[in-house]
Amino acid sequence: MTINIPNYFKRYAWTYEQVDSQIWLSTFSSEFEDEFDLYVSLGDEWVHFAVSPFLPRPEASQQAYIYAILLRLNQQLRLVHFAVDEDGDINLLVELPVHGFVYAHFVAAMDALVYSAQTLARDLGRMVQDPKFRSPLIPMA
């Protein structure tokens, strides 16, 4: 069974570009006009989805605070989770197994990433910039 990521993007009605033999890039905007890059990477065992970067690297003084919030959110979110990359940027990820992967899984991953970005990006971004900001959507320490 071959996974045809370009066909899935077309069925989802999103534009994309192929940046490598197994990596595709698309973009989307939130209702607040924040823009996000979304990567889909096809590995041997996993299909990786990443909104990268979701948030910029927090200042050193803010890192522990923001990372604690993201860990709490990881326990509450379904399908998506946060991770920090080698540059210190915060990414929003979904990983699904290649075995049995079908278009419905692609849709679920894309919908979950877009919904999470729409719901959380604005408030988390404010928290990264302003340690005094509190959001009713985000669990605090």
Side-chain angles (χ1 to χ4, degrees):
M1 173 180 159
T2 303
I3 298 173
N4 189 334
I5 299 296
N7 185 48
Y8 290 172
F9 269 116
K10 288 175 188 168
R11 286 179 65 187
Y12 199 74
W14 271 28
T15 59
Y16 68 92
E17 66 179 273
Q18 190 161 358
V19 296
D20 199 327
S21 65
Q22 299 296 316
I23 301 173
W24 297 266
L25 167 65
S26 188
T27 59
F28 67 96
S29 298
S30 74
E31 63 187 46
F32 301 108
E33 298 184 18
D34 299 315
E35 284 198 17
F36 300 97
D37 289 334
L38 184 141
Y39 294 87
V40 178
S41 172
L42 184 56
D44 291 335
E45 308 243 345
W46 297 92
V47 181
H48 305 275
F49 296 77
V51 175
S52 177
F54 184 71
L55 296 170
R57 174 199 299 234
E59 295 293 326
S61 62
Q62 284 289 95
Q63 286 179 354
Y65 167 70
I66 296 298
Y67 295 162
I69 290 168
L70 296 177
L71 286 172
R72 281 186 196 82
L73 282 170
N74 277 349
Q75 290 183 1
Q76 295 177 2
L77 297 172
R78 298 294 171 253
L79 193 57
V80 301
H81 62 277
F82 292 100
V84 178
D85 67 17
E86 61 276 356
D87 296 325
D89 291 326
I90 297 167
N91 298 317
L92 185 63
L93 308 174
V94 171
E95 287 104 12
L96 295 169
V98 166
H99 181 74
F101 189 87
V102 295
Y103 177 67
H105 299 133
F106 180 88
V107 170
M110 297 288 282
D111 288 352
L113 289 166
V114 170
Y115 174 78
S116 296
Q118 296 278 12
T119 305
L120 298 172
R122 179 62 47 144
D123 285 358
L124 281 172
R126 286 186 64 189
M127 293 174 107
V128 167
Q129 295 177 5
D130 179 4
K132 295 178 181 163
F133 177 75
R134 300 292 181 254
S135 168
L137 300 174
I138 299 172
M140 304 302 293

